[in-house]
Amino acid sequence: MEELTILPQNPTPTVSILGGTGQQGRGLAQRFAHAGVQVVVGSRDAARAQETVAAWTISASATPVRVADNASAVAAADVTILAVPFATVDLLLQDMHPHFRSGSLAIDVTVPVAFTAGRMAMLEVAEGSASEHIRALLPAAVRLACAFKTVPAHLLGAGIEPLDCDEFVCGDSDTARSEASALVELLPGLRAVDVGPLSRARSIEHLTALAIAINRRHKIHDARFRVIGL
Amino acid sequence: MEELTILPQNPTPTVSILGGTGQQGRGLAQRFAHAGVQVVVGSRDAARAQETVAAWTISASATPVRVADNASAVAAADVTILAVPFATVDLLLQDMHPHFRSGSLAIDVTVPVAFTAGRMAMLEVAEGSASEHIRALLPAAVRLACAFKTVPAHLLGAGIEPLDCDEFVCGDSDTARSEASALVELLPGLRAVDVGPLSRARSIEHLTALAIAINRRHKIHDARFRVIGL
């Protein structure tokens, strides 16, 4: 397999996915494993997650997916992907705070929307966006990027068909954005679009809300975006 | 020329464009004229606007573009397009309030962003979005749709090359959305994507902010969006 060069200092990074048995986490775990990445699925209940992961259909050429409790997954991670529901992120990050490796990269993929009485609405977040909220909960020595917020979980989790869309990446650290972009582009059919500082996360989250609105109104599942002219 | 059927009750609507000599207004005026629409460019200074419009390059097959002062343009309009800077919309709509025809359609294309010290930021709008702000300023008998917010003004004003992107339409009136969508699709290369109630306008405005951020960061002019999977 071709050598990965997504992290200049570490061509074979360990990517831990918290919430890795959920729809979006599973899709990311399977697709990264097929791309040759060392994947650790983090879970509150590692034994149960192990059963779940053992039942996945992953081709023999993929890198084996490991399973660990959340704290061990974070402690092992060059990159920690936060693929948990936004409502659970505060408690999780409180517990995980001591376990992050200094200099490691966190990627926030949460979507701050709520469904009440069949209507989808974005949650107000005091910090401006879910990503900025999460920034405030992470150790200062952990870099943060926002990515994988607009690719539909449904499509992500459906096999490994090419995704055919753009993924928007932002963050206040240049290396966080470039490493997250490299991870995005490891997945066939995804192009990373760097949109700048972490404060742009709110616009990306609005894009996800728009995709959900389009899905519901037009009775489809996989609305996503492509930037034209770039 | 093929008969227009964009307004069921009126196949040849008059579309008045306030701010019609600005970059975005000019692009809309020229493209609608080429599509066979009766266009009136509204201006504070009709004599000066007349000179401007007379200098436009419009093919002989296009419908002639008329010019009028803003109040006359609004009074004549089946559809009034608000293509003025967001900062000027309050005073303008205060003056125009008595002139709107009952049952007519207004289309808000304003973008609530500001540039300070070279940085672009979205303006907070108490009502949630520029479109909802404008809704509160319009007569109740005027229907409102949000459209043409994400197509780049630069590209819109550059001849009549096909635009090759999607335009997001929202509004609380079903007919406002369907008529605005029909107008969007009169322009070659534009597809209308109905995203539902007017409260979705904020997400559309964030999309515009994202396009501006992409333009600035990647040193391009015409970033725009296509929905994949629809």
Side-chain angles (χ1 to χ4, degrees):
Chain A
M1 179 164 290
E2 205 181 341
E3 188 184 59
L4 302 175
T5 54
I6 59 164
L7 303 180
Q9 75 286 14
N10 179 1
T12 56
T14 295
V15 174
S16 291
I17 304 178
L18 308 192
T21 57
Q23 191 178 40
Q24 194 174 19
R26 182 184 75 232
L28 288 171
Q30 294 180 351
R31 286 174 184 267
F32 277 125
H34 279 99
V37 174
Q38 305 287 330
V39 173
V40 179
V41 164
S43 176
R44 279 173 305 183
D45 183 342
R48 200 156 57 95
Q50 184 63 62
E51 284 178 38
T52 303
V53 170
W56 288 354
T57 307
I58 300 187
S59 85
S61 66
T63 307
V65 173
R66 289 178 286 155
V67 174
D69 62 274
N70 282 330
S72 303
V74 169
D78 297 297
V79 181
T80 302
I81 297 183
L82 305 169
V84 298
F86 179 65
T88 69
V89 87
D90 286 34
L91 273 176
L92 177 70
L93 288 181
Q94 191 180 307
D95 289 349
M96 292 305 114
H97 196 281
H99 302 292
F100 280 97
R101 287 165 56 182
S102 178
S104 68
L105 174 66
I107 298 182
D108 167 35
V109 311
T110 66
V111 178
V113 297
F115 296 87
T116 42
R119 257 183 86 87
M120 180 267 296
M122 290 194 69
L123 297 170
E124 289 299 320
V125 181
E127 294 83 358
S129 63
S131 296
E132 291 162 288
H133 178 80
I134 284 168
R135 173 68 273 175
L137 298 172
L138 284 171
V142 173
R143 296 163 303 137
L144 177 65
C146 155
F148 300 110
K149 290 212 181 203
T150 57
V151 62
H154 173 265
L155 180 65
L156 201 61
I160 52 167
E161 289 302 304
L163 294 161
D164 184 27
C165 64
D166 288 340
E167 261 307 303
F168 302 87
V169 175
C170 70
D172 288 335
S173 147
D174 290 347
T175 63
R177 288 198 311 282
S178 64
E179 291 173 18
S181 296
L183 281 167
V184 164
E185 299 201 336
L186 277 182
L187 302 194
L190 277 194
R191 177 176 67 163
V193 177
D194 181 341
V195 300
L198 200 66
S199 58
R200 298 268 175 256
R202 190 59 171 177
S203 293
I204 297 172
E205 293 164 7
H206 270 281
L207 212 57
T208 309
L210 213 48
I212 295 170
I214 291 167
N215 280 341
R216 292 164 69 94
R217 173 159 289 268
H218 297 276
K219 300 188 175 26
I220 59 175
H221 295 292
D222 297 327
R224 55 207 189 275
F225 300 95
R226 169 79 69 195
V227 177
I228 309 295
L230 177 65
Chain B
M1 179 164 289
E2 204 181 342
E3 188 184 59
L4 300 175
T5 55
I6 59 165
L7 303 180
Q9 76 286 12
N10 179 2
T12 56
T14 295
V15 174
S16 292
I17 304 178
L18 308 191
T21 57
Q23 190 177 41
Q24 195 174 18
R26 183 184 74 232
L28 288 170
Q30 294 180 352
R31 287 174 184 266
F32 277 125
H34 279 99
V37 174
Q38 304 288 330
V39 172
V40 178
V41 164
S43 176
R44 278 173 305 181
D45 183 343
R48 200 157 57 95
Q50 185 63 63
E51 285 179 37
T52 304
V53 169
W56 288 355
T57 308
I58 300 188
S59 85
S61 66
T63 307
V65 174
R66 290 178 286 156
V67 174
D69 63 89
N70 282 330
S72 304
V74 168
D78 297 297
V79 181
T80 302
I81 297 182
L82 305 169
V84 298
F86 179 66
T88 68
V89 86
D90 286 35
L91 274 176
L92 177 70
L93 288 182
Q94 191 180 307
D95 290 348
M96 293 304 114
H97 197 279
H99 302 291
F100 279 97
R101 286 165 57 184
S102 178
S104 69
L105 174 66
I107 298 183
D108 166 36
V109 311
T110 67
V111 178
V113 298
F115 296 87
T116 43
R119 256 183 88 86
M120 180 267 295
M122 291 194 71
L123 298 169
E124 288 299 320
V125 182
E127 293 83 358
S129 63
S131 296
E132 291 161 289
H133 178 80
I134 285 169
R135 174 68 274 175
L137 298 172
L138 285 171
V142 173
R143 295 163 303 137
L144 177 65
C146 154
F148 302 110
K149 290 211 181 202
T150 57
V151 63
H154 173 265
L155 180 65
L156 201 61
I160 52 167
E161 289 302 304
L163 295 161
D164 185 27
C165 64
D166 289 339
E167 260 307 302
F168 302 86
V169 175
C170 70
D172 288 335
S173 147
D174 290 347
T175 63
R177 289 198 311 281
S178 64
E179 292 173 17
S181 295
L183 281 166
V184 165
E185 300 202 336
L186 277 182
L187 303 194
L190 277 194
R191 177 175 67 164
V193 177
D194 181 341
V195 300
L198 200 66
S199 58
R200 298 269 176 255
R202 190 59 171 178
S203 293
I204 298 172
E205 292 164 8
H206 269 281
L207 211 57
T208 309
L210 213 48
I212 295 170
I214 291 167
N215 280 341
R216 292 164 70 94
R217 174 159 289 268
H218 297 276
K219 300 188 174 25
I220 59 174
H221 295 291
D222 297 326
R224 54 206 190 277
F225 300 94
R226 169 78 70 194
V227 177
I228 309 295
L230 176 65

